[in-house]
Amino acid sequence: MPKELKRQMAAEVREELESSENVLVIGLLPMDAETTYSLRSTVREQGGHLRVIHNRTSRYALDEPRKDLARYFKGPTAIATGRTADTEFIPLAKALLDASKKKRIELRGGWVDGELLDAAGFEALAQSPDKPTLRAMLCGAILGPGRGLAVAMNAVAGGLARCLQARIDKEEEGGDAGAAS
């Protein structure tokens, strides 16, 4: 391959890596065109972009903080990046984990929030809850004690109201029985 073409490919990969602060590296296992299309559309649905890359070219494209990612570029390799800067990476990692369970790809590692991930870290990222779920869990934890207090206070007031009503009903029965004799 001519050097100029390699430089251009490295520049494209570098530009893509610079536009996304998070990168997931996967190893591609042999698959047919339909499976490849399915994998790419799954990644696209999660807001990501999948690019098959040449290992040597990608090593030239890595910027200084991400140079350690080069250890994952062995054999057929692809990178998954976000199409926008605010792409949620947990759903993307979950989709790739599901694909790896179907023996389509192998999880190798990644660069997420300024930290290098190995395959175990990649899997842990995929199994963690996403932001909306975490927000719901946090709201439940914050509102839980207040809700419990409100229920307890309502129960005390309700119990008092039932006792007073029972007393009133009893006095009415006693007054009606005394008037009848």
Side-chain angles (χ1 to χ4, degrees):
M1 196 179 307
K3 285 186 177 184
E4 186 57 38
L5 181 59
K6 289 180 184 179
R7 283 190 198 115
Q8 185 177 6
M9 288 171 49
E12 286 178 12
V13 172
R14 184 179 302 116
E15 186 177 309
E16 185 172 342
L17 290 173
E18 287 173 355
S19 68
S20 176
E21 65 182 60
N22 300 322
V23 179
L24 300 173
V25 181
I26 59 174
L28 298 174
L29 301 175
M31 60 179 101
D32 58 1
E34 184 179 325
T35 307
T36 304
Y37 179 77
S38 171
L39 178 63
R40 286 180 184 274
S41 61
T42 301
V43 169
R44 198 174 308 115
E45 286 171 7
Q46 300 303 326
H49 179 259
L50 188 69
R51 177 189 284 261
V52 178
I53 54 172
H54 292 93
N55 295 334
R56 186 173 300 229
T57 306
S58 64
R59 288 186 188 118
Y60 295 123
L62 291 172
D63 53 357
E64 191 54 43
R66 299 184 199 183
K67 282 287 187 195
D68 291 336
L69 275 176
R71 74 175 84 161
Y72 300 123
F73 296 128
K74 293 183 174 85
T77 305
I79 56 172
T81 58
R83 283 187 278 170
T84 61
D86 60 342
T87 297
E88 183 70 33
F89 255 69
I90 293 175
L92 181 58
K94 286 180 194 265
L96 292 172
L97 179 65
D98 289 344
S100 75
K101 288 180 180 175
K102 296 175 186 172
K103 304 293 186 211
R104 294 181 180 173
I105 61 171
E106 67 173 321
L107 307 177
R108 291 191 181 162
W111 183 267
V112 178
D113 291 333
E115 292 187 29
L116 185 68
L117 296 179
D118 58 355
F122 192 134
E123 209 166 311
L125 175 70
Q127 293 172 349
S128 63
D130 56 351
K131 281 185 184 177
T133 306
L134 282 174
R135 287 181 182 138
M137 291 168 62
L138 182 63
C139 286
I142 290 171
L143 297 176
R147 182 179 176 273
L149 180 64
V151 167
M153 290 176 64
N154 194 22
V156 170
L160 178 63
R162 284 189 292 279
C163 285
L164 289 175
Q165 187 63 44
R167 176 80 175 187
I168 291 170
D169 291 345
K170 186 176 180 183
E171 286 182 7
E172 285 179 0
E173 283 178 15
D176 290 343
S181 24

Short mmCIF file of all heavy atoms in Angstrom, two decimals, residues 13-25 58-73 79-82 85 89 110-117:
data_model
loop_
_atom_site.label_atom_id
_atom_site.label_comp_id
_atom_site.label_asym_id
_atom_site.label_seq_id
_atom_site.Cartn_x
_atom_site.Cartn_y
_atom_site.Cartn_z
N VAL A 13 -8.36 8.12 10.86
CA VAL A 13 -8.55 7.44 12.14
C VAL A 13 -8.22 8.40 13.29
O VAL A 13 -8.94 8.46 14.29
CB VAL A 13 -7.69 6.16 12.22
CG1 VAL A 13 -7.74 5.56 13.62
CG2 VAL A 13 -8.16 5.15 11.20
N ARG A 14 -7.14 9.17 13.16
CA ARG A 14 -6.76 10.14 14.19
C ARG A 14 -7.87 11.16 14.41
O ARG A 14 -8.23 11.48 15.54
CB ARG A 14 -5.46 10.85 13.83
CG ARG A 14 -4.98 11.80 14.92
CD ARG A 14 -3.66 12.49 14.57
NE ARG A 14 -2.60 11.52 14.31
CZ ARG A 14 -1.99 11.36 13.13
NH1 ARG A 14 -2.31 12.12 12.11
NH2 ARG A 14 -1.04 10.46 12.98
N GLU A 15 -8.45 11.65 13.31
CA GLU A 15 -9.53 12.63 13.40
C GLU A 15 -10.74 12.04 14.12
O GLU A 15 -11.36 12.68 14.96
CB GLU A 15 -9.92 13.07 11.99
CG GLU A 15 -10.94 14.18 11.95
CD GLU A 15 -11.21 14.62 10.52
OE1 GLU A 15 -10.25 14.90 9.78
OE2 GLU A 15 -12.39 14.66 10.16
N GLU A 16 -11.05 10.80 13.80
CA GLU A 16 -12.19 10.13 14.46
C GLU A 16 -11.92 9.92 15.94
O GLU A 16 -12.79 10.12 16.79
CB GLU A 16 -12.48 8.80 13.78
CG GLU A 16 -13.72 8.12 14.32
CD GLU A 16 -14.11 6.90 13.53
OE1 GLU A 16 -13.65 6.73 12.39
OE2 GLU A 16 -14.88 6.10 14.08
N LEU A 17 -10.70 9.52 16.27
CA LEU A 17 -10.35 9.30 17.68
C LEU A 17 -10.34 10.61 18.47
O LEU A 17 -10.72 10.63 19.64
CB LEU A 17 -8.99 8.62 17.79
CG LEU A 17 -8.92 7.17 17.32
CD1 LEU A 17 -7.49 6.67 17.33
CD2 LEU A 17 -9.81 6.28 18.17
N GLU A 18 -9.91 11.69 17.84
CA GLU A 18 -9.88 12.98 18.53
C GLU A 18 -11.29 13.53 18.76
O GLU A 18 -11.53 14.22 19.73
CB GLU A 18 -9.04 13.98 17.75
CG GLU A 18 -7.56 13.70 17.84
CD GLU A 18 -6.72 14.60 16.93
OE1 GLU A 18 -7.31 15.39 16.15
OE2 GLU A 18 -5.49 14.50 17.01
N SER A 19 -12.22 13.20 17.87
CA SER A 19 -13.58 13.71 18.02
C SER A 19 -14.37 12.94 19.07
O SER A 19 -15.41 13.40 19.52
CB SER A 19 -14.32 13.68 16.68
OG SER A 19 -14.56 12.34 16.29
N SER A 20 -13.90 11.77 19.45
CA SER A 20 -14.59 10.96 20.46
C SER A 20 -13.62 10.71 21.61
O SER A 20 -12.53 10.20 21.41
CB SER A 20 -15.03 9.63 19.86
OG SER A 20 -15.61 8.83 20.84
N GLU A 21 -14.04 11.05 22.81
CA GLU A 21 -13.13 10.84 23.94
C GLU A 21 -13.14 9.39 24.42
O GLU A 21 -12.28 8.98 25.16
CB GLU A 21 -13.47 11.79 25.09
CG GLU A 21 -14.81 11.58 25.74
CD GLU A 21 -15.07 12.58 26.83
OE1 GLU A 21 -15.09 13.78 26.54
OE2 GLU A 21 -15.27 12.15 27.97
N ASN A 22 -14.11 8.60 23.99
CA ASN A 22 -14.21 7.20 24.37
C ASN A 22 -14.06 6.31 23.15
O ASN A 22 -14.65 6.58 22.10
CB ASN A 22 -15.55 6.92 25.05
CG ASN A 22 -15.74 7.76 26.29
OD1 ASN A 22 -14.81 7.99 27.03
ND2 ASN A 22 -16.96 8.22 26.51
N VAL A 23 -13.29 5.24 23.31
CA VAL A 23 -13.04 4.30 22.21
C VAL A 23 -13.11 2.89 22.77
O VAL A 23 -12.54 2.60 23.82
CB VAL A 23 -11.63 4.51 21.60
CG1 VAL A 23 -11.37 3.53 20.49
CG2 VAL A 23 -11.45 5.93 21.12
N LEU A 24 -13.81 2.01 22.06
CA LEU A 24 -13.86 0.60 22.43
C LEU A 24 -13.20 -0.20 21.32
O LEU A 24 -13.49 0.01 20.14
CB LEU A 24 -15.31 0.15 22.64
CG LEU A 24 -16.07 0.90 23.73
CD1 LEU A 24 -17.54 0.49 23.74
CD2 LEU A 24 -15.44 0.67 25.08
N VAL A 25 -12.30 -1.11 21.68
CA VAL A 25 -11.56 -1.91 20.70
C VAL A 25 -12.09 -3.34 20.76
O VAL A 25 -12.17 -3.94 21.84
CB VAL A 25 -10.05 -1.90 21.00
CG1 VAL A 25 -9.29 -2.71 19.96
CG2 VAL A 25 -9.53 -0.48 21.05
N SER A 58 -3.32 2.19 12.57
CA SER A 58 -3.97 2.71 13.76
C SER A 58 -2.95 3.08 14.83
O SER A 58 -3.16 4.03 15.59
CB SER A 58 -4.96 1.69 14.31
OG SER A 58 -4.27 0.54 14.73
N ARG A 59 -1.86 2.37 14.90
CA ARG A 59 -0.82 2.71 15.88
C ARG A 59 -0.25 4.11 15.62
O ARG A 59 0.07 4.84 16.54
CB ARG A 59 0.29 1.67 15.86
CG ARG A 59 -0.15 0.36 16.46
CD ARG A 59 1.01 -0.63 16.56
NE ARG A 59 0.49 -1.92 16.97
CZ ARG A 59 0.57 -3.02 16.25
NH1 ARG A 59 1.18 -3.00 15.08
NH2 ARG A 59 0.07 -4.15 16.69
N TYR A 60 -0.14 4.47 14.34
CA TYR A 60 0.33 5.82 14.00
C TYR A 60 -0.73 6.88 14.32
O TYR A 60 -0.41 8.03 14.54
CB TYR A 60 0.71 5.91 12.52
CG TYR A 60 1.88 5.03 12.15
CD1 TYR A 60 1.75 4.07 11.16
CD2 TYR A 60 3.10 5.16 12.79
CE1 TYR A 60 2.84 3.26 10.82
CE2 TYR A 60 4.18 4.35 12.46
CZ TYR A 60 4.03 3.41 11.47
OH TYR A 60 5.09 2.61 11.13
N ALA A 61 -1.99 6.46 14.32
CA ALA A 61 -3.08 7.41 14.52
C ALA A 61 -3.33 7.71 16.00
O ALA A 61 -3.95 8.72 16.31
CB ALA A 61 -4.36 6.86 13.90
N LEU A 62 -2.86 6.87 16.88
CA LEU A 62 -3.14 7.07 18.31
C LEU A 62 -2.38 8.28 18.85
O LEU A 62 -1.19 8.44 18.62
CB LEU A 62 -2.75 5.83 19.11
CG LEU A 62 -3.61 4.59 18.86
CD1 LEU A 62 -3.00 3.39 19.56
CD2 LEU A 62 -5.02 4.81 19.31
N ASP A 63 -3.08 9.13 19.58
CA ASP A 63 -2.43 10.26 20.22
C ASP A 63 -1.71 9.79 21.49
O ASP A 63 -1.88 8.65 21.93
CB ASP A 63 -3.41 11.40 20.51
CG ASP A 63 -4.63 10.94 21.28
OD1 ASP A 63 -4.75 9.75 21.56
OD2 ASP A 63 -5.47 11.80 21.61
N GLU A 64 -0.94 10.64 22.08
CA GLU A 64 -0.05 10.25 23.19
C GLU A 64 -0.77 9.60 24.38
O GLU A 64 -0.33 8.55 24.83
CB GLU A 64 0.77 11.46 23.66
CG GLU A 64 1.90 11.10 24.60
CD GLU A 64 2.84 10.04 24.02
OE1 GLU A 64 3.20 10.12 22.85
OE2 GLU A 64 3.20 9.12 24.78
N PRO A 65 -1.85 10.15 24.90
CA PRO A 65 -2.44 9.50 26.06
C PRO A 65 -3.01 8.11 25.74
O PRO A 65 -3.06 7.24 26.60
CB PRO A 65 -3.59 10.42 26.49
CG PRO A 65 -3.47 11.65 25.69
CD PRO A 65 -2.49 11.41 24.59
N ARG A 66 -3.39 7.88 24.49
CA ARG A 66 -4.02 6.61 24.12
C ARG A 66 -3.06 5.62 23.48
O ARG A 66 -3.49 4.61 22.93
CB ARG A 66 -5.17 6.87 23.15
CG ARG A 66 -6.25 7.73 23.74
CD ARG A 66 -7.37 7.86 22.77
NE ARG A 66 -8.19 9.00 23.09
CZ ARG A 66 -9.27 9.33 22.45
NH1 ARG A 66 -9.68 8.63 21.44
NH2 ARG A 66 -9.96 10.39 22.80
N LYS A 67 -1.76 5.88 23.55
CA LYS A 67 -0.77 4.98 22.93
C LYS A 67 -0.88 3.55 23.47
O LYS A 67 -0.57 2.60 22.77
CB LYS A 67 0.65 5.50 23.17
CG LYS A 67 1.03 6.64 22.26
CD LYS A 67 1.27 6.15 20.86
CE LYS A 67 1.81 7.28 20.01
NZ LYS A 67 1.74 7.00 18.60
N ASP A 68 -1.32 3.41 24.72
CA ASP A 68 -1.43 2.07 25.32
C ASP A 68 -2.50 1.21 24.66
O ASP A 68 -2.50 -0.01 24.82
CB ASP A 68 -1.71 2.18 26.82
CG ASP A 68 -0.52 2.73 27.59
OD1 ASP A 68 0.61 2.60 27.09
OD2 ASP A 68 -0.73 3.29 28.69
N LEU A 69 -3.40 1.83 23.92
CA LEU A 69 -4.41 1.06 23.20
C LEU A 69 -3.79 0.17 22.12
O LEU A 69 -4.41 -0.79 21.70
CB LEU A 69 -5.42 2.00 22.54
CG LEU A 69 -6.59 2.50 23.36
CD1 LEU A 69 -7.41 3.49 22.55
CD2 LEU A 69 -7.45 1.36 23.83
N ALA A 70 -2.59 0.49 21.69
CA ALA A 70 -1.94 -0.25 20.60
C ALA A 70 -1.79 -1.73 20.93
O ALA A 70 -1.76 -2.56 20.03
CB ALA A 70 -0.58 0.37 20.30
N ARG A 71 -1.72 -2.08 22.22
CA ARG A 71 -1.56 -3.50 22.58
C ARG A 71 -2.77 -4.34 22.19
O ARG A 71 -2.68 -5.55 22.10
CB ARG A 71 -1.28 -3.63 24.08
CG ARG A 71 -2.49 -3.39 24.95
CD ARG A 71 -2.21 -3.65 26.39
NE ARG A 71 -1.61 -2.46 26.95
CZ ARG A 71 -1.56 -2.19 28.23
NH1 ARG A 71 -2.02 -3.04 29.09
NH2 ARG A 71 -1.03 -1.08 28.66
N TYR A 72 -3.93 -3.69 21.97
CA TYR A 72 -5.14 -4.43 21.60
C TYR A 72 -5.30 -4.57 20.10
O TYR A 72 -6.24 -5.22 19.64
CB TYR A 72 -6.38 -3.73 22.18
CG TYR A 72 -6.35 -3.64 23.68
CD1 TYR A 72 -6.45 -2.41 24.32
CD2 TYR A 72 -6.19 -4.77 24.47
CE1 TYR A 72 -6.42 -2.31 25.69
CE2 TYR A 72 -6.15 -4.68 25.84
CZ TYR A 72 -6.27 -3.45 26.45
OH TYR A 72 -6.22 -3.37 27.81
N PHE A 73 -4.40 -3.97 19.31
CA PHE A 73 -4.50 -4.04 17.86
C PHE A 73 -3.68 -5.22 17.34
O PHE A 73 -2.57 -5.07 16.87
CB PHE A 73 -4.01 -2.73 17.22
CG PHE A 73 -4.86 -1.54 17.58
CD1 PHE A 73 -4.29 -0.40 18.09
CD2 PHE A 73 -6.22 -1.57 17.39
CE1 PHE A 73 -5.06 0.70 18.41
CE2 PHE A 73 -7.01 -0.48 17.71
CZ PHE A 73 -6.42 0.66 18.22
N ILE A 79 -12.73 -0.52 15.81
CA ILE A 79 -12.94 0.39 16.93
C ILE A 79 -14.37 0.91 16.87
O ILE A 79 -14.92 1.12 15.80
CB ILE A 79 -11.94 1.57 16.94
CG1 ILE A 79 -11.99 2.36 15.63
CG2 ILE A 79 -10.54 1.09 17.22
CD1 ILE A 79 -11.18 3.64 15.65
N ALA A 80 -14.95 1.08 18.03
CA ALA A 80 -16.29 1.67 18.14
C ALA A 80 -16.14 3.00 18.84
O ALA A 80 -15.58 3.07 19.94
CB ALA A 80 -17.22 0.74 18.91
N THR A 81 -16.59 4.05 18.19
CA THR A 81 -16.53 5.39 18.77
C THR A 81 -17.93 5.98 18.73
O THR A 81 -18.81 5.48 18.03
CB THR A 81 -15.57 6.30 17.98
OG1 THR A 81 -16.01 6.36 16.62
CG2 THR A 81 -14.15 5.80 18.04
N GLY A 82 -18.10 7.06 19.47
CA GLY A 82 -19.38 7.75 19.44
C GLY A 82 -19.46 8.68 18.26
O GLY A 82 -18.47 9.29 17.87
N ALA A 85 -20.13 13.82 20.65
CA ALA A 85 -19.32 13.90 21.87
C ALA A 85 -20.09 13.40 23.10
O ALA A 85 -19.48 12.91 24.04
CB ALA A 85 -18.86 15.33 22.10
N PHE A 89 -21.95 5.66 26.35
CA PHE A 89 -21.14 4.50 25.99
C PHE A 89 -21.57 3.19 26.64
O PHE A 89 -21.22 2.13 26.18
CB PHE A 89 -19.66 4.78 26.28
CG PHE A 89 -18.90 5.03 25.02
CD1 PHE A 89 -19.12 6.17 24.29
CD2 PHE A 89 -18.01 4.10 24.54
CE1 PHE A 89 -18.46 6.39 23.11
CE2 PHE A 89 -17.33 4.31 23.36
CZ PHE A 89 -17.56 5.47 22.65
N GLY A 110 -10.42 -0.79 25.77
CA GLY A 110 -10.89 0.51 25.32
C GLY A 110 -10.30 1.64 26.13
O GLY A 110 -9.46 1.44 27.03
N TRP A 111 -10.73 2.82 25.80
CA TRP A 111 -10.32 4.05 26.46
C TRP A 111 -11.61 4.79 26.79
O TRP A 111 -12.28 5.31 25.90
CB TRP A 111 -9.44 4.87 25.53
CG TRP A 111 -8.90 6.11 26.14
CD1 TRP A 111 -9.45 7.36 26.09
CD2 TRP A 111 -7.71 6.24 26.89
NE1 TRP A 111 -8.68 8.24 26.78
CE2 TRP A 111 -7.59 7.58 27.28
CE3 TRP A 111 -6.73 5.35 27.29
CZ2 TRP A 111 -6.54 8.06 28.03
CZ3 TRP A 111 -5.67 5.82 28.03
CH2 TRP A 111 -5.57 7.16 28.39
N VAL A 112 -11.98 4.82 28.07
CA VAL A 112 -13.23 5.45 28.48
C VAL A 112 -12.96 6.41 29.62
O VAL A 112 -12.35 6.02 30.64
CB VAL A 112 -14.27 4.38 28.90
CG1 VAL A 112 -15.55 5.04 29.38
CG2 VAL A 112 -14.56 3.43 27.76
N ASP A 113 -13.38 7.64 29.46
CA ASP A 113 -13.21 8.69 30.47
C ASP A 113 -11.76 8.83 30.93
O ASP A 113 -11.47 8.97 32.11
CB ASP A 113 -14.12 8.45 31.68
CG ASP A 113 -15.58 8.63 31.34
OD1 ASP A 113 -15.87 9.40 30.40
OD2 ASP A 113 -16.44 8.03 32.01
N GLY A 114 -10.85 8.75 29.97
CA GLY A 114 -9.44 8.97 30.26
C GLY A 114 -8.72 7.79 30.90
O GLY A 114 -7.60 7.93 31.36
N GLU A 115 -9.35 6.62 30.92
CA GLU A 115 -8.73 5.43 31.52
C GLU A 115 -8.70 4.28 30.53
O GLU A 115 -9.65 4.08 29.77
CB GLU A 115 -9.49 5.01 32.77
CG GLU A 115 -9.38 5.99 33.90
CD GLU A 115 -10.01 5.47 35.17
OE1 GLU A 115 -10.03 4.24 35.37
OE2 GLU A 115 -10.48 6.29 35.95
N LEU A 116 -7.61 3.53 30.58
CA LEU A 116 -7.45 2.36 29.74
C LEU A 116 -8.23 1.20 30.35
O LEU A 116 -8.11 0.94 31.54
CB LEU A 116 -5.97 2.01 29.61
CG LEU A 116 -5.61 0.88 28.66
CD1 LEU A 116 -5.88 1.29 27.23
CD2 LEU A 116 -4.17 0.48 28.83
N LEU A 117 -9.03 0.52 29.53
CA LEU A 117 -9.79 -0.64 30.00
C LEU A 117 -9.24 -1.90 29.34
O LEU A 117 -8.94 -1.89 28.15
CB LEU A 117 -11.26 -0.52 29.60
CG LEU A 117 -12.09 0.62 30.18
CD1 LEU A 117 -13.50 0.55 29.62
CD2 LEU A 117 -12.12 0.53 31.68
#
